[in-house]
Amino acid sequence: MQQLLDKIKAYSAEIEAAAVKSKDELEAFRIKYLGTKGLVKTIMGEMKDVAVEQKKEAGQALNQFKNFVEEKFDKLKQFEASIVKEKQDTDLSLPAPDMPLGTRHPISIVQNKIISIFNRLGFAVAQGPEIEDDWHNFTALNLPENHPARDMQDTFYLQEEPAWLLRTHTSSVQIREMEKGVLPLRIICPGRVYRNETISARAHCFFNQVEGLYIAENVSFADLKQTLYFFVQEMFGQEVKIRFRPSYFPFTEPSAEMDISCLICGGSGCNVCKKTGWVEILGCGMVHPQVLENCNIDSEKYTGFAFGMGIERIAMLKYQVKDLRLFSENDTRFLDQFVAAV
Ligand code: PHE
């Protein structure tokens, strides 16, 4: 009798640990333990060897064991069925779910648009280094040492003597191109620039510019006006108006700032245009003869115009973005909105 109980105990542990992964394994379990020649039946057969006075106790233990095995079999059966269902629910022939596509950065979208407009007018893209020397960023642009206008642009210096700095504008690229001496010259210079400014909704320590330069014989201010007028019409729509205000840049003479009629209120006055109906978008002017001479260009023979604008500013107007910082924070909730723009 004790032998029988020990056997039941040992088998119970084995059965408790049993697991199945398929219908075949489930059937193997059934045959091994519950089949006509299975373990339960075999042990039941051993009842005959148990002493009469112990038959009741042994019978109870055997019944309990039989129930336990049957319950285990039911559990395994359910488990096996759930695996089958899971396999059916997973249709492996279905195409994989879509991966979200990345989007172009609004600054790239606007920059590409600006480039394509000027390309159509014959301007080629020129690029230069972001780390500049004093000559290309300042001196050649008619900003000699101690010139007060250097304070207009708070410069990040990497080294004082000789000066290495982060370019404060892409006018430095224009100098590099003029120094090559191939004329006439018609280029735009897109790129990142740096200024030591406190970061706010309207200013940043780095931003992107596109500057333009056209040098040939008989280039006039009228050419500059017409070029920029064409640009803003292509960029903002045919109905946009422009106006020029006299200004000062050391590298251009005369110099001007160009405003466009406010796109938000159409000129009647709102917060964006500070109730004036106009918003400033760029600086421009006729290249100063001294700048041409600094690059060994004959200023008697050649004239030229130059202009420069911030891409962020154009993008803010185009998309009505009120905070400049959004462009460099990489928040995809902001960036994802520009999928189909421009
Ligand atoms: N370089 C000027 C700036 O960064 C822009 C400019 C370019 C103005 C060319 C006039 C002519 O602010």
Side-chain angles (χ1 to χ4, degrees), residues 123 141 171 174 178 211-215 219-225 227-228 244-258 282-289 291-292 303-309:
F123 286 79
L141 286 155
S171 304
Q174 305 187 346
M178 284 191 277
E211 296 214 354
L213 176 72
Y214 178 34
I215 297 179
V219 176
S220 71
F221 202 95
D223 298 324
L224 170 62
K225 266 183 145 171
T227 302
L228 293 179
F244 288 80
R245 284 177 291 103
S247 185
Y248 171 76
F249 300 102
F251 32 87
T252 46
E253 180 60 35
S255 304
E257 275 166 329
M258 189 178 87
L282 56 79
C284 60
M286 301 306 292
V287 180
H288 197 294
V291 173
L292 296 174
T303 51
F305 66 68
F307 58 88
M309 67 188 105

Side-chain angles (χ1 to χ4, degrees), residues 113-114 117-118 121 224-244 258-261 263 279-282 309 314 317-318:
K113 174 95 179 164
I114 297 172
I117 296 170
F118 282 105
L121 292 172
L224 170 62
K225 266 183 145 171
Q226 189 52 43
T227 302
L228 293 179
Y229 189 39
F230 175 79
F231 163 68
V232 294
Q233 281 189 315
E234 291 299 302
M235 191 76 210
F236 297 111
Q238 298 297 307
E239 57 296 334
V240 71
K241 294 202 245 340
I242 55 169
R243 79 173 183 189
F244 288 80
M258 189 178 87
D259 299 341
I260 57 169
S261 50
L263 302 158
V279 276
E280 181 200 322
I281 64 158
L282 56 79
M309 67 188 105
I314 306 286
L317 287 170
K318 180 120 191 123

Side-chain angles (χ1 to χ4, degrees), residues 105-119:
H105 194 283
I107 296 301
S108 299
I109 295 172
V110 172
Q111 175 173 302
N112 290 345
K113 174 95 179 164
I114 297 172
I115 290 173
S116 85
I117 296 170
F118 282 105
N119 274 346

